[in-house]
Amino acid sequence: PELGPVLHVSGADLMDNTPIYDIKPYLPYADSHPEAVGGFIAPLENELLKVDFPEQLLQLIPEARREALLGVLALDPRPSYQDDAKRVYGVEFAGLDIRFTVESTVLTVCEVVSL
């Protein structure tokens, strides 16, 4: 049987056989649905991590970008399937690799490396 056009997707963080129903940009003026609720997981609004960012490492971050970085880290940038307290994770931010660990609800920055 003819399947029709086939779209190959790579580099996406999807489980095998995850259907893709809609591929288009998000347009806030047209796509905003404030009354929408998630049906798969509980809201994450109050589940921010406490960020422990040693002062000597924080000084390596441009002052104008510090608040944004702290906000990103508090949201827990790890893949959702990772929960290893001994693993060092990394996130690229403003030309820097921010390396950190997470134990329970505390994210601790352990290294800042220029890319």
Side-chain angles (χ1 to χ4, degrees), residues 17-100:
N17 299 314
T18 299
I20 299 173
Y21 292 108
D22 196 9
I23 301 175
K24 66 178 183 177
Y26 173 74
L27 304 172
Y29 70 88
D31 296 331
S32 180
H33 299 282
E35 73 284 355
V37 296
F40 296 100
I41 62 170
L44 301 175
E45 297 168 10
N46 296 321
E47 296 186 25
L48 298 178
L49 296 176
K50 177 184 180 289
V51 178
D52 179 8
F53 207 132
E55 187 62 32
Q56 70 273 20
L57 296 178
L58 189 59
Q59 293 300 319
L60 300 173
I61 311 301
E63 190 171 348
R65 296 184 179 257
R66 290 177 191 166
E67 185 177 342
L69 175 57
L70 291 171
V72 167
L73 295 174
L75 289 170
D76 195 354
R78 296 175 297 168
S80 61
Y81 52 85
Q82 293 289 339
D83 191 22
D84 181 352
K86 296 189 186 318
R87 181 172 176 169
V88 176
Y89 300 93
V91 64
E92 185 177 328
F93 185 88
L96 299 166
D97 184 18
I98 312 301
R99 297 181 183 167
F100 60 91

